[in-house]
Amino acid sequence: VPYVEDEAVRTKFKSILEALRVWHYFKLTSRWANVPFFLEPATIESALQPPTPKEEILDKLFPLAEEIASRLPENEYIADAYMFNRYSFKALTMRYALYNGRYELAAKLAKEIMDSGKYQLHAKYGDLFNYKADKTNKEFIMKFDMESHGNSATNSFRDLAPQFRTGNGQSYVVPTKSLVDSYWTLQGHSIDNSPLHTKEEYELNPKLNRDPRLAASIFGHGDMFSGEQIDIYNPSSLMFFENQRASKSGYWFKKFVDETDAFKSGGNMHFPLLRYAEVLLTYAEAKIMMNDVDDLAKDCINQLRRRAGLDMSAADVTLTTKTQQQWIDLIRNERRTELAGEGIRYDDILRWRIAEQVLNQPALGHTRMVDGKKETLKIEDRSFQSHNYLWPFHENSMKVEPGLVQNPGY
């Protein structure tokens, strides 16, 4: 870092840049596995070498990441708060340790972040994703704030919300039935295994006895939006499911959609890249995968459920004994619902190796009864093949780096 006399400032920004490079390689290896790997400027000779195996890269990245974190300032910065500090970079390293099966490291880093006392769950889950608490919570560890993109307007309402009167709303990304059905009951049971209602009753009435995170994250047919009731089956409604700017599933994300943005040219939303909730989930999952479910792992899950508003007289995970597979099923679903719509699910599907199961099913939407028969909106068929766990290298990359080897199946 040239032209900076203060050595502490030089160290800070040098470490931030090195952390960004580590993040870059974490992302590259997660998509393409074996890639060219350089920590020093490449020469013509080195650039022609074969890519470095993924595990060899990771064996260097994780110790390097911890060393970089130790050089970063402990506290979030007053200005440039979006830049890496010690614990935000530890949190990112923790994420990729979990993604890559380095469970001891993931649990260790999660515990260090918890013990730091610098972050906490916000009291009300839904407020994190609108203007009530997007800027004031202590849960966002990594974030896109306004300063991170030069104070340009944010467009989450435009991209996620339904078209409303003459305002914004394009419904570009919408929830599916699979996500809606994944929210367990208020008592912590899956809708397939509830003693109170049948699965069909839950499908026909998603608001029935459900985890409150569903209503905080998703809205749809029959719900109120900006003072009007949504009717996705009314052809005269802007929200009719066949309309171009409506949701083909009949559902929309409530996260990052604040109705005050309806008639503005843009918003000023802060978005989480990594929340403290993920730290708790990571500690719990790492301990589960090591078959070492301690009291802290159970408490991490209970903290999230308690904050969400579940009935803890039944949903407390300490009330029943579980096999390791039952713990795995529970933590995977807890991640899916707690972090829904926040860009985590795709990586989870890949690392759990469940893509052939969950991505080879049609994308479905709202369910209702028509003439005594259950009907569900169908959006599209989807397909995933085993080689799709890795992405193909672009032909231009193959030309520029002759040492690259195309991933199998492409």
Side-chain angles (χ1 to χ4, degrees):
V1 182
Y3 315 122
V4 178
E5 294 184 2
D6 189 322
E7 188 60 31
V9 174
R10 287 173 58 86
T11 299
K12 168 187 167 181
F13 283 102
K14 180 177 183 288
S15 301
I16 288 171
L17 291 170
E18 290 178 344
L20 287 169
R21 180 173 59 184
V22 169
W23 188 8
H24 173 72
Y25 277 117
F26 278 148
K27 293 173 72 173
L28 284 179
T29 54
S30 70
R31 294 289 176 260
W32 288 278
N34 306 333
V35 297
F37 179 58
F38 300 100
L39 296 178
E40 300 292 339
T43 64
I44 293 295
E45 183 180 351
S46 65
L48 296 175
Q49 299 303 308
T52 305
K54 175 181 178 178
E55 290 304 314
E56 184 178 326
I57 296 173
L58 294 177
D59 286 342
K60 294 180 180 178
L61 286 183
F62 285 116
L64 177 60
E66 289 197 89
E67 191 272 324
I68 293 169
S70 70
R71 290 190 260 119
L72 285 164
E74 286 192 25
N75 297 315
E76 184 175 278
Y77 317 120
I78 297 173
D80 300 326
Y82 62 91
M83 291 188 180
F84 281 126
N85 60 63
R86 181 176 303 173
Y87 289 100
S88 65
F89 189 52
K90 281 190 177 189
L92 182 77
T93 306
M94 171 205 74
R95 172 186 284 176
Y96 283 98
L98 183 74
Y99 282 5
N100 289 285
R102 313 275 176 123
Y103 298 124
E104 287 189 13
L105 177 59
K108 179 179 84 76
L109 291 171
K111 183 69 162 53
E112 289 175 5
I113 297 164
M114 286 187 270
D115 289 345
S116 76
K118 295 184 181 299
Y119 308 100
Q120 63 188 44
L121 294 180
H122 188 68
K124 191 170 181 181
Y125 177 78
D127 287 355
L128 288 167
F129 313 108
N130 56 46
Y131 293 134
K132 292 179 181 176
D134 69 312
K135 300 172 184 64
T136 57
N137 70 83
K138 294 184 179 180
E139 186 165 342
F140 292 1
I141 299 178
M142 290 177 59
K143 60 192 172 187
F144 277 139
D145 58 13
M146 294 299 291
E147 192 178 10
S148 69
H149 49 84
N151 289 300
S152 60
T154 60
N155 292 297
S156 54
F157 188 97
R158 179 198 69 189
D159 296 343
L160 300 176
Q163 182 187 3
F164 180 67
R165 298 179 184 169
T166 59
N168 292 310
Q170 296 287 349
S171 311
Y172 287 144
V173 180
V174 298
T176 61
K177 180 179 186 294
S178 175
L179 175 58
V180 173
D181 288 351
S182 72
Y183 286 86
W184 287 4
T185 69
L186 199 61
Q187 296 76 30
H189 301 117
S190 70
I191 64 171
D192 301 276
N193 189 34
S194 170
L196 300 179
H197 302 281
T198 65
K199 180 179 180 180
E200 183 176 278
E201 287 178 297
Y202 286 119
E203 289 177 306
L204 294 172
N205 183 3
K207 295 186 287 290
L208 177 66
N209 186 47
R210 297 295 278 278
D211 182 332
R213 285 174 290 195
L214 174 56
S217 304
I218 295 171
F219 64 99
H221 183 69
D223 291 329
M224 301 299 293
F225 181 74
S226 200
E228 296 184 12
Q229 189 172 42
I230 298 173
D231 185 353
I232 65 169
Y233 299 108
N234 179 2
S236 63
S237 170
L238 290 172
M239 302 181 201
F240 178 51
F241 74 93
E242 292 185 359
N243 282 350
Q244 185 175 5
R245 292 170 61 186
S247 167
K248 297 299 181 286
S249 73
Y251 295 109
W252 289 266
F253 281 110
K254 186 178 289 188
K255 285 183 173 180
F256 315 119
V257 171
D258 194 300
E259 293 178 8
T260 61
D261 284 342
F263 299 102
K264 296 178 182 177
S265 58
N268 62 341
M269 185 78 69
H270 287 192
F271 303 100
L273 295 178
L274 196 156
R275 295 192 282 118
Y276 183 63
E278 186 178 339
V279 175
L280 302 183
L281 288 164
T282 296
Y283 183 85
E285 182 178 351
K287 298 298 281 188
I288 287 168
M289 296 310 296
M290 292 188 290
N291 204 17
D292 180 25
V293 187
D294 57 15
D295 290 342
L296 179 57
K298 297 174 185 177
D299 184 60
C300 286
I301 300 170
N302 278 342
Q303 286 184 55
L304 294 169
R305 291 185 162 195
R306 190 175 299 110
R307 187 266 295 270
L310 270 70
D311 177 2
M312 296 306 289
S313 68
D316 185 332
V317 297
T318 66
L319 295 177
T320 58
T321 58
K322 298 174 179 62
T323 65
Q324 186 185 26
Q325 187 57 53
Q326 287 173 325
W327 278 116
I328 290 172
D329 293 342
L330 184 150
I331 195 63
R332 289 183 176 183
N333 203 76
E334 200 72 26
R335 276 183 67 92
R336 185 179 188 184
T337 52
E338 172 68 30
L339 303 175
E342 297 180 50
I344 301 297
R345 176 67 175 167
Y346 178 72
D347 283 294
D348 281 349
I349 289 172
L350 296 188
R351 69 186 179 90
W352 293 332
R353 309 294 289 188
I354 60 172
E356 292 98 335
Q357 172 191 342
V358 301
L359 296 182
N360 275 323
Q361 300 177 11
L364 304 176
H366 186 265
T367 299
R368 63 172 176 166
M369 296 296 290
V370 178
D371 297 328
K373 295 182 179 180
K374 189 170 66 173
E375 288 190 0
T376 299
L377 297 179
K378 181 178 178 180
I379 306 166
E380 62 183 10
D381 289 311
R382 292 180 174 175
S383 174
F384 186 96
Q385 300 180 44
S386 58
H387 64 267
N388 297 144
Y389 280 104
L390 294 179
W391 288 7
F393 291 108
H394 193 279
E395 60 179 346
N396 288 344
S397 298
M398 304 287 289
K399 292 175 183 176
V400 171
E401 303 204 40
L404 270 183
V405 178
Q406 184 61 278
N407 281 321
Y410 297 105

PDB file of all heavy atoms in Angstrom, residues 288 291 293 320-329:
ATOM      1  N   ILE A 288     -22.594 -31.050  14.908  1.00  0.00           N
ATOM      2  CA  ILE A 288     -23.434 -32.174  14.495  1.00  0.00           C
ATOM      3  C   ILE A 288     -22.665 -33.087  13.547  1.00  0.00           C
ATOM      4  O   ILE A 288     -22.691 -34.320  13.676  1.00  0.00           O
ATOM      5  CB  ILE A 288     -24.737 -31.653  13.838  1.00  0.00           C
ATOM      6  CG1 ILE A 288     -25.671 -31.068  14.903  1.00  0.00           C
ATOM      7  CG2 ILE A 288     -25.444 -32.770  13.061  1.00  0.00           C
ATOM      8  CD1 ILE A 288     -26.845 -30.285  14.334  1.00  0.00           C
ATOM      9  N   ASN A 291     -20.439 -35.306  15.124  1.00  0.00           N
ATOM     10  CA  ASN A 291     -21.172 -36.153  16.075  1.00  0.00           C
ATOM     11  C   ASN A 291     -20.782 -35.822  17.517  1.00  0.00           C
ATOM     12  O   ASN A 291     -20.575 -36.691  18.357  1.00  0.00           O
ATOM     13  CB  ASN A 291     -20.931 -37.642  15.793  1.00  0.00           C
ATOM     14  CG  ASN A 291     -22.058 -38.512  16.330  1.00  0.00           C
ATOM     15  OD1 ASN A 291     -23.153 -38.020  16.624  1.00  0.00           O
ATOM     16  ND2 ASN A 291     -21.800 -39.790  16.464  1.00  0.00           N
ATOM     17  N   VAL A 293     -22.563 -33.204  19.573  1.00  0.00           N
ATOM     18  CA  VAL A 293     -23.595 -32.192  19.791  1.00  0.00           C
ATOM     19  C   VAL A 293     -23.594 -31.789  21.265  1.00  0.00           C
ATOM     20  O   VAL A 293     -24.213 -32.442  22.112  1.00  0.00           O
ATOM     21  CB  VAL A 293     -24.990 -32.706  19.365  1.00  0.00           C
ATOM     22  CG1 VAL A 293     -26.021 -31.584  19.436  1.00  0.00           C
ATOM     23  CG2 VAL A 293     -24.935 -33.284  17.958  1.00  0.00           C
ATOM     24  N   THR A 320     -35.970 -33.710  23.359  1.00  0.00           N
ATOM     25  CA  THR A 320     -35.974 -35.084  22.854  1.00  0.00           C
ATOM     26  C   THR A 320     -34.571 -35.479  22.416  1.00  0.00           C
ATOM     27  O   THR A 320     -33.774 -34.634  22.002  1.00  0.00           O
ATOM     28  CB  THR A 320     -36.926 -35.249  21.652  1.00  0.00           C
ATOM     29  OG1 THR A 320     -36.535 -34.345  20.608  1.00  0.00           O
ATOM     30  CG2 THR A 320     -38.372 -34.951  22.057  1.00  0.00           C
ATOM     31  N   THR A 321     -34.269 -36.764  22.507  1.00  0.00           N
ATOM     32  CA  THR A 321     -32.995 -37.272  21.998  1.00  0.00           C
ATOM     33  C   THR A 321     -33.120 -37.488  20.496  1.00  0.00           C
ATOM     34  O   THR A 321     -34.206 -37.795  19.985  1.00  0.00           O
ATOM     35  CB  THR A 321     -32.618 -38.594  22.686  1.00  0.00           C
ATOM     36  OG1 THR A 321     -33.669 -39.554  22.468  1.00  0.00           O
ATOM     37  CG2 THR A 321     -32.429 -38.381  24.179  1.00  0.00           C
ATOM     38  N   LYS A 322     -32.006 -37.334  19.785  1.00  0.00           N
ATOM     39  CA  LYS A 322     -32.029 -37.444  18.336  1.00  0.00           C
ATOM     40  C   LYS A 322     -30.821 -38.233  17.852  1.00  0.00           C
ATOM     41  O   LYS A 322     -29.740 -38.159  18.441  1.00  0.00           O
ATOM     42  CB  LYS A 322     -32.016 -36.044  17.689  1.00  0.00           C
ATOM     43  CG  LYS A 322     -33.223 -35.183  18.026  1.00  0.00           C
ATOM     44  CD  LYS A 322     -33.062 -33.773  17.485  1.00  0.00           C
ATOM     45  CE  LYS A 322     -34.272 -32.913  17.785  1.00  0.00           C
ATOM     46  NZ  LYS A 322     -34.495 -32.750  19.240  1.00  0.00           N
ATOM     47  N   THR A 323     -31.004 -38.955  16.757  1.00  0.00           N
ATOM     48  CA  THR A 323     -29.888 -39.595  16.093  1.00  0.00           C
ATOM     49  C   THR A 323     -29.095 -38.528  15.342  1.00  0.00           C
ATOM     50  O   THR A 323     -29.577 -37.403  15.134  1.00  0.00           O
ATOM     51  CB  THR A 323     -30.354 -40.660  15.095  1.00  0.00           C
ATOM     52  OG1 THR A 323     -31.090 -40.013  14.036  1.00  0.00           O
ATOM     53  CG2 THR A 323     -31.254 -41.686  15.778  1.00  0.00           C
ATOM     54  N   GLN A 324     -27.898 -38.865  14.894  1.00  0.00           N
ATOM     55  CA  GLN A 324     -27.128 -37.882  14.131  1.00  0.00           C
ATOM     56  C   GLN A 324     -27.875 -37.472  12.864  1.00  0.00           C
ATOM     57  O   GLN A 324     -27.881 -36.289  12.501  1.00  0.00           O
ATOM     58  CB  GLN A 324     -25.743 -38.429  13.774  1.00  0.00           C
ATOM     59  CG  GLN A 324     -24.870 -37.367  13.095  1.00  0.00           C
ATOM     60  CD  GLN A 324     -23.534 -37.884  12.624  1.00  0.00           C
ATOM     61  OE1 GLN A 324     -23.378 -39.073  12.344  1.00  0.00           O
ATOM     62  NE2 GLN A 324     -22.549 -37.005  12.530  1.00  0.00           N
ATOM     63  N   GLN A 325     -28.518 -38.424  12.190  1.00  0.00           N
ATOM     64  CA  GLN A 325     -29.239 -38.082  10.970  1.00  0.00           C
ATOM     65  C   GLN A 325     -30.405 -37.146  11.268  1.00  0.00           C
ATOM     66  O   GLN A 325     -30.696 -36.231  10.489  1.00  0.00           O
ATOM     67  CB  GLN A 325     -29.745 -39.344  10.265  1.00  0.00           C
ATOM     68  CG  GLN A 325     -30.354 -39.069   8.895  1.00  0.00           C
ATOM     69  CD  GLN A 325     -29.393 -38.359   7.952  1.00  0.00           C
ATOM     70  OE1 GLN A 325     -28.269 -38.825   7.741  1.00  0.00           O
ATOM     71  NE2 GLN A 325     -29.819 -37.248   7.372  1.00  0.00           N
ATOM     72  N   GLN A 326     -31.085 -37.341  12.387  1.00  0.00           N
ATOM     73  CA  GLN A 326     -32.168 -36.427  12.762  1.00  0.00           C
ATOM     74  C   GLN A 326     -31.631 -35.024  13.035  1.00  0.00           C
ATOM     75  O   GLN A 326     -32.268 -34.028  12.673  1.00  0.00           O
ATOM     76  CB  GLN A 326     -32.910 -36.981  13.983  1.00  0.00           C
ATOM     77  CG  GLN A 326     -33.779 -38.180  13.665  1.00  0.00           C
ATOM     78  CD  GLN A 326     -34.370 -38.824  14.914  1.00  0.00           C
ATOM     79  OE1 GLN A 326     -33.742 -38.864  15.990  1.00  0.00           O
ATOM     80  NE2 GLN A 326     -35.591 -39.332  14.796  1.00  0.00           N
ATOM     81  N   TRP A 327     -30.467 -34.951  13.667  1.00  0.00           N
ATOM     82  CA  TRP A 327     -29.840 -33.643  13.883  1.00  0.00           C
ATOM     83  C   TRP A 327     -29.475 -32.991  12.554  1.00  0.00           C
ATOM     84  O   TRP A 327     -29.660 -31.791  12.364  1.00  0.00           O
ATOM     85  CB  TRP A 327     -28.577 -33.779  14.743  1.00  0.00           C
ATOM     86  CG  TRP A 327     -28.802 -33.853  16.218  1.00  0.00           C
ATOM     87  CD1 TRP A 327     -28.518 -34.902  17.051  1.00  0.00           C
ATOM     88  CD2 TRP A 327     -29.338 -32.825  17.059  1.00  0.00           C
ATOM     89  NE1 TRP A 327     -28.843 -34.598  18.344  1.00  0.00           N
ATOM     90  CE2 TRP A 327     -29.356 -33.326  18.384  1.00  0.00           C
ATOM     91  CE3 TRP A 327     -29.819 -31.541  16.825  1.00  0.00           C
ATOM     92  CZ2 TRP A 327     -29.817 -32.574  19.460  1.00  0.00           C
ATOM     93  CZ3 TRP A 327     -30.284 -30.786  17.901  1.00  0.00           C
ATOM     94  CH2 TRP A 327     -30.281 -31.306  19.192  1.00  0.00           C
ATOM     95  N   ILE A 328     -28.945 -33.786  11.632  1.00  0.00           N
ATOM     96  CA  ILE A 328     -28.572 -33.254  10.319  1.00  0.00           C
ATOM     97  C   ILE A 328     -29.797 -32.703   9.598  1.00  0.00           C
ATOM     98  O   ILE A 328     -29.775 -31.593   9.033  1.00  0.00           O
ATOM     99  CB  ILE A 328     -27.870 -34.342   9.474  1.00  0.00           C
ATOM    100  CG1 ILE A 328     -26.494 -34.643  10.052  1.00  0.00           C
ATOM    101  CG2 ILE A 328     -27.756 -33.906   8.009  1.00  0.00           C
ATOM    102  CD1 ILE A 328     -25.798 -35.839   9.403  1.00  0.00           C
ATOM    103  N   ASP A 329     -30.877 -33.476   9.596  1.00  0.00           N
ATOM    104  CA  ASP A 329     -32.109 -33.021   8.935  1.00  0.00           C
ATOM    105  C   ASP A 329     -32.605 -31.725   9.565  1.00  0.00           C
ATOM    106  O   ASP A 329     -33.057 -30.806   8.859  1.00  0.00           O
ATOM    107  CB  ASP A 329     -33.195 -34.101   9.036  1.00  0.00           C
ATOM    108  CG  ASP A 329     -32.852 -35.350   8.240  1.00  0.00           C
ATOM    109  OD1 ASP A 329     -31.972 -35.272   7.359  1.00  0.00           O
ATOM    110  OD2 ASP A 329     -33.464 -36.409   8.509  1.00  0.00           O
TER     111      ASP A 329
END
